[in-house]
């Protein structure tokens, strides 16, 4: 029998106060030539599900030795959440410390979207810069570029860009691998474009209409090496249909099979450069720690891993892409080891949202899944308000401060990375900065492993709020499922209430049984809707 435990007064206090584990920057012991503050590396996977890593219980279906190693050397979270079940809003929250649902225009962005995290925002990398860090973003971006949608100068400098929101260095894919433009952009410039010798490679991008004379997935399926199952039938680049149209690019176009190698190497080079600069600066005592926001393209569609991973998982391209993700993680860890900085580097690994099996390409992911459960024991997946939408893998390793080999059950949200890292690096947050981010450093460092956030808010069209394992999903008119991706979205016109402690699969809607609890949680959610969290 489940006993109602909540009352509104308590909930209000939790919502408005700063309840929860707090911690300030731990005292540092440093080796000679090492910055006093730790280097910080965020490795953010794309669409990697809770159950997609072996150490979350999937040992029989997938091998992720590098992720497992990270977990065994740090703390692994059982109840950590992205703020939203798709990429753009989830990433928006990480970089701004604000729930994306407060801001219009933060849904899944096209590749020619204007900046969604704008120079007017106070951002996570800016806060790290303030604390003396050298900062970089490498890999998938998906938060828009330039100040006008569709008006970016892909042949010149795309501006404003990441340097205007706190990244000293950037090497990114504008959106996703399934969206044009299919090129890397380094510090605002497309990499490898040689317009002097090849003016015909000039890049044009449109999300409205095809370019005359250019084949499309819709009209020229004979040119495709990977067919779409839904959508993805506009421009063809490397034999893969994309979302949006583009022409040009020439040698600058990425090769999908090499994306992981390319971006991982750029991440590694940034680390190497930063450490070389630290060594040099140590002579004058001015060494700067680094902050790297490394976003893999894996395991997002189109899944086209390098040939050395092909066929290795037995699950087709999706499983092979997980192996490739694990390789990228291993490569970063190896470099931290070889440079002797692993001890003084805080590594945070997570995913931007939950898993999807068929996300629009016929890559046999569904047929070859076997016993593998990307969503673990949870219901739903990417796009869903059910748990699998936002309950993501999360691991934190920092040998100096984080106890090794622990599992944390504390409720945790990526929105808190901003304030927690601010505390770690000794930065006060200004009024209005990171408005929904709370300092839960003790949770994220695995010191507090039971009590976490007072409540967790999830977003996927509608909103949900979870307090002490009681999850309330606000009624909505959205569809109950997305048949194309075969995922239950969780929308219902009726309120939903689940007890995750007893029913983590969200099967038994207890709303009719506990109307008072529904009312309390609905009121709390309304309060969060009306007021920033901090
Ligand atoms: C959807 C795409 C899907 C994926 C998603 C964004 C279609 C039919 N589906 O609209 O393939 O790109 O957007 O994923 O186009 S995310 O992880 O970047 O949010
Ligand atoms: Ca994603």
């Amino acid at each position: 029998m489940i006993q109602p435990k909540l009352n509104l007064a308590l909930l209000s206090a939790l919502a408005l106060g700063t309840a929860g584990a707090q911690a300030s920057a731990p005292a540092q012991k440093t080796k000679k030539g090492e910055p006093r503050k730790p280097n910080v590396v965020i490795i953010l996977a794309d669409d990697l599900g809770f159950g997609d890593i072996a150490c979350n219980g999937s040992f029989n279906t997938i091998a992720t030795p590098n992720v497992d190693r990270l977990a065994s050397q740090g703390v692994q979270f059982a109840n950590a959440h992205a703020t939203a079940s798709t990429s753009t809003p989830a990433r928006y929250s990480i970089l701004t410390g604000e729930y994306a649902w407060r801001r219009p225009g933060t849904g899944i962005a096209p590749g020619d979207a204007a900046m969604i995290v704008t120079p007017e925002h106070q951002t996570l990398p800016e806060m790290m810069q303030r604390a003396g860090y050298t900062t970089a973003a490498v890999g998938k971006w998906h938060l828009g570029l330039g100040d006008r949608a569709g008006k970016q100068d892909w042949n010149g400098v795309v501006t404003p860009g990441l340097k205007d929101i706190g990244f000293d260095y950037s090497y990114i894919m504008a959106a996703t691998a399934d969206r044009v433009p299919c090129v890397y952009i380094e510090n605002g410039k497309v990499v490898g474009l040689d317009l002097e010798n090849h003016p015909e490679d000039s890049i044009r991008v449109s999300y409205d209409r095809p370019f005359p004379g250019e084949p499309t997935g819709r009209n020229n399926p004979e040119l495709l090496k990977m067919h779409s199952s839904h959508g993805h039938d506009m421009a063809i680049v490397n034999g893969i249909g994309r979302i949006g149209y583009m022409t040009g690019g020439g040698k600058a176009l990425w090769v999908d099979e090499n994306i992981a190698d390319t971006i991982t190497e750029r991440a590694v080079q940034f680390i190497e450069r930063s450490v070389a600069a630290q060594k040099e600066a140590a002579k004058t005592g001015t060494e700067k720690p680094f902050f790297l926001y490394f976003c893999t393209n894996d395991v997002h569609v189109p899944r086209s891993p390098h040939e050395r991973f092909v066929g290795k998982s037995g699950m087709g391209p999706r499983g092979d892409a997980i192996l490739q993700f694990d390789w990228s993680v291993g490569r970063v860890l190896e470099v931290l080891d070889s440079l002797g900085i692993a001890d003084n580097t805080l590594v945070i690994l997570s995913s931007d949202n939950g898993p999807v099996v068929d996300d629009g390409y016929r890559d046999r992911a569904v047929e070859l899944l076997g016993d593998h459960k990307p969503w673990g024991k949870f219901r739903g997946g990417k796009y869903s308000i059910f748990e699998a939408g936002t309950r993501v893998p999360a691991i934190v390793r920092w040998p100096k401060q984080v106890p090794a080999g622990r599992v944390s059950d504390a409720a945790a949200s990526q929105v808190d990375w901003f304030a927690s890292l601010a505390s770690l690096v000794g930065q006060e947050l200004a009024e209005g900065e990171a408005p929904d981010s709370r300092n839960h450093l003790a949770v994220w460092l695995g010191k507090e492993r039971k009590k976490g956030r007072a409540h967790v808010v999830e977003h996927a069209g509608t909103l949900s709020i979870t307090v002490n394992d009681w999850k309330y999903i606000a009624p909505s008119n959205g569809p109950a499922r997305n048949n194309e991706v075969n995922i239950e979205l969780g929308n219902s016109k009726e309120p939903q209430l689940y007890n995750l402690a007893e029913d983590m699969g969200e099967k038994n809607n207890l709303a009719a049984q506990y109307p008072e609890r529904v009312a309390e949680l609905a009121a709390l959610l309304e309060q969060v809707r009306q007021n920033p969290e901090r």
Side-chain angles (χ1 to χ4, degrees):
M1 168 79 193
I2 302 157
Q3 292 299 325
K5 280 184 232 135
L6 311 173
N7 68 61
L8 194 53
L10 173 67
L11 289 178
S12 307
L14 291 175
L16 296 174
T18 48
Q22 300 272 332
S24 56
Q28 292 292 296
K29 282 198 210 99
T30 45
K31 284 193 264 181
K32 201 166 174 292
E34 218 173 49
R36 299 185 66 76
K37 293 170 183 164
N39 305 304
V40 176
V41 176
I42 294 178
I43 303 176
L44 192 66
D46 201 350
D47 299 359
L48 187 76
F50 186 88
D52 275 327
I53 55 176
C55 55
N56 272 351
S58 307
F59 288 105
N60 294 329
T61 53
I62 191 84
T64 52
N66 293 298
V67 173
D68 298 358
R69 172 190 158 200
L70 192 73
S72 72
Q73 296 172 340
V75 59
Q76 184 179 355
F77 291 81
N79 191 10
H81 292 261
T83 63
S85 65
T86 52
S87 159
T88 302
R91 289 160 197 256
Y92 176 91
S93 292
I94 291 172
L95 294 182
T96 65
E98 179 180 54
Y99 293 127
W101 44 263
R102 295 200 195 281
R103 295 263 177 170
T106 51
I108 300 172
D112 67 348
M115 287 183 99
I116 294 167
V117 177
T118 67
E120 283 71 50
H121 280 93
Q122 292 169 301
T123 70
L124 171 62
E126 282 170 344
M127 183 279 290
M128 297 300 277
Q129 282 179 332
R130 230 158 58 212
Y133 280 68
T134 303
T135 61
V138 176
K140 171 174 171 168
W141 178 237
H142 211 187
L143 286 163
L145 292 169
D147 50 11
R148 282 188 305 153
K151 301 289 180 209
Q152 296 86 351
D153 179 7
W154 304 110
N155 302 300
V157 180
V158 182
T159 181
L162 275 68
K163 77 170 167 31
D164 304 298
I165 57 168
F167 288 110
D168 298 315
Y169 174 75
S170 61
Y171 189 100
I172 57 166
M173 306 160 68
T176 53
D178 60 353
R179 283 172 175 73
V180 301
C182 300
V183 290
Y184 303 110
I185 301 166
E186 185 173 31
N187 297 328
K189 289 190 77 170
V190 170
V191 179
L193 199 59
D194 178 13
L195 291 179
E196 228 163 80
N197 295 311
H198 295 281
E200 72 280 7
D201 289 349
S202 169
I203 295 172
R204 280 185 299 157
V205 168
S206 169
Y207 274 73
D208 299 328
R209 56 186 66 88
F211 293 98
E214 291 286 344
T216 63
R218 198 174 308 142
N219 297 331
N220 307 86
E222 73 284 359
L223 299 179
L224 297 174
K225 66 178 179 194
M226 190 195 284
H227 290 264
S228 92
S229 59
H230 53 274
H232 304 108
D233 57 359
M234 298 176 224
I236 300 177
V237 178
N238 293 324
I240 300 175
R242 315 277 168 166
I243 308 171
Y245 302 98
M246 81 176 285
T247 74
K251 288 206 168 58
L253 294 171
W254 66 50
V255 174
D256 296 74
E257 290 77 0
N258 295 338
I259 291 175
D261 283 353
T262 303
I263 61 180
T264 304
E265 221 35 51
R266 293 295 165 155
V268 162
Q269 286 165 5
F270 169 75
I271 295 172
E272 289 172 341
R273 277 199 308 277
S274 303
V275 172
Q278 285 172 357
K279 294 230 161 85
E280 188 54 35
K283 294 174 191 157
T284 48
T286 54
E287 59 272 31
K288 293 173 78 161
F290 64 82
F291 168 63
L292 170 63
Y293 173 64
F294 174 38
C295 300
T296 68
N297 168 53
D298 295 315
V299 298
H300 198 279
V301 295
R303 302 164 187 133
S304 313
H306 190 269
E307 64 177 5
R308 66 186 188 279
F309 302 104
V310 171
K312 295 287 157 47
S313 70
M315 279 191 270
R318 186 175 188 282
D320 298 345
I322 297 175
L323 302 186
Q324 183 167 261
F325 169 74
D326 186 68
W327 169 83
S328 291
V329 173
R331 181 82 185 98
V332 170
L333 298 185
E334 178 185 278
V335 166
L336 299 179
D337 285 341
S338 70
L339 293 172
I341 58 167
D343 261 11
N344 195 41
T345 301
L346 169 65
V347 178
I348 304 174
L349 179 147
S350 196
S351 176
D352 66 340
N353 53 253
V356 53
V357 184
D358 177 347
D359 205 14
Y361 291 93
R362 279 191 249 152
D363 60 7
R364 305 192 64 221
V366 175
E367 296 88 318
L368 297 172
L369 200 58
D371 293 334
H372 184 64
K373 293 195 168 45
W375 42 84
K377 293 183 174 144
F378 303 106
R379 187 174 179 183
K382 180 175 179 176
Y383 311 110
S384 177
I385 194 69
F386 287 135
E387 280 298 280
T390 62
R391 179 130 18 169
V392 285
I395 297 169
V396 171
R397 185 191 79 169
W398 180 18
K400 258 190 188 173
Q401 290 284 341
V402 173
R406 302 272 176 86
V407 172
S408 170
D409 295 315
S413 169
Q414 292 173 354
V415 77
D416 294 330
W417 287 354
F418 197 133
S420 304
L421 287 173
S423 159
L424 175 76
V425 302
Q427 289 299 300
E428 295 276 327
L429 295 183
E431 184 82 31
E433 182 175 6
D436 292 309
S437 188
R438 290 188 180 182
N439 172 15
H440 283 292
L441 185 61
V443 170
W444 282 105
L445 294 186
K447 296 180 196 284
E448 170 58 64
R449 290 186 296 277
K450 289 277 169 235
K451 201 166 144 278
R453 257 197 159 249
H455 57 252
V456 172
V457 177
E458 301 168 39
H459 168 214
T462 188
L463 296 177
S464 74
I465 191 161
T466 305
V467 178
N468 294 337
D469 289 322
W470 284 92
K471 176 171 174 182
Y472 163 74
I473 302 178
S476 77
N477 292 321
R481 50 182 302 127
N482 177 332
N483 290 324
E484 286 183 328
V485 296
N486 192 25
I487 287 175
E488 294 182 287
L489 300 179
N491 294 306
S492 167
K493 292 189 177 61
E494 304 300 324
Q496 296 173 76
L497 179 73
Y498 298 101
N499 182 268
L500 298 177
E502 306 201 340
D503 175 27
M504 65 168 72
E506 292 164 284
K507 290 291 178 205
N508 306 313
N509 182 3
L510 301 174
Q513 224 169 311
Y514 298 107
E516 282 172 17
R517 184 170 303 229
V518 167
E520 285 167 8
L521 288 169
L524 176 62
L525 180 58
E526 191 50 34
Q527 215 173 76
V528 177
R529 254 193 238 266
Q530 301 298 331
N531 304 289
E533 293 244 25
R534 213 163 48 78

